[in-house]
Amino acid sequence: MTWLITISGLSPSDLLILTAICFFAGLIRGFSGFALSAVAMAAGASILPPIELIPVLWWLEMTASTIMLRGGWKDADRRVVFGLVIASAIGTPIGITLTTSLPIETSKLIALTLVVALSVTQLAKIRLAFFATKPGVYSAGLAAGIVTGLAGIGGMVIALFVLAQDAPARKMRAALVLFLFFGSITSLATYLAFGVMDQKAATRGIVFILPTAIGVLLGQRLFIPRYEPYYRPFCLSLLIALATFGILLQIL
């Protein structure tokens, strides 16, 4: 335990809390197919500022996406996903530039507000018709990249994109998995270029790989098809509650 505290640069309590958050976020991702970074950001922003948490989320997403990649490759529309990834690669540097230039408290509020706004939009099943067009593919990817740079939750934007397609749940899960995997590869270049992915961030990310992987694997085992209609509303409601609580902590 002592060596984990030393290499992570976290206090014992922060290390334990973040470990629990990563496990729970992995659990949510395992049975819902999304929301890992959103849960971790909503619950963890009070411990680490977004600029430090975002590169840690990269390791969590790569872990989850690698575990879940097989189904994503099989079921997703790969041509559309790659269009999203290319546009996202353009948007991520914009988001990171904004995050690195903002005061920490402001960046926390922006990140948490984005979690609430995107969760409410999905919970209300608001379909953005423009996303169903060809220009909408690249617009969604660009927006996902910017949101990734701001809060590490670009997958939430892609979920809105898939919702606009009125796609089956399996295809939606697959598109999210595939985007998060390849999007993580392109975003790493941005994080390295901006110095966001430094040794401390990488060490913390590696430390939290195991609890995240355990959570994802357990979440997949807990997935029960007949309860699938309830998973997304539950996860989105949880995100709204967590992020709203985080916002209140910031402003009160």
Side-chain angles (χ1 to χ4, degrees), residues 25-36 39 68 169 172-173 176-177 219-220 223 228 231-236:
L27 188 71
I28 295 294
R29 174 69 181 276
F31 69 73
S32 72
F34 80 116
L36 186 154
V39 169
M68 303 176 71
M172 183 173 183
R173 284 166 58 92
L176 283 168
V177 168
Q220 286 181 312
F223 177 78
E228 186 172 7
Y231 290 150
R232 180 165 294 272
F234 167 76
C235 293
L236 293 172

Side-chain angles (χ1 to χ4, degrees), residues 60-78:
L60 308 190
E61 287 291 357
M62 280 301 292
T63 300
S65 296
T66 301
I67 293 172
M68 303 176 71
L69 181 61
R70 184 177 178 181
W73 185 263
K74 177 183 176 182
D75 297 324
D77 185 333
R78 294 188 289 274

Side-chain angles (χ1 to χ4, degrees), residues 131-145:
F131 278 174
T133 66
K134 189 172 182 179
V137 174
Y138 299 102
S139 298
L142 182 66

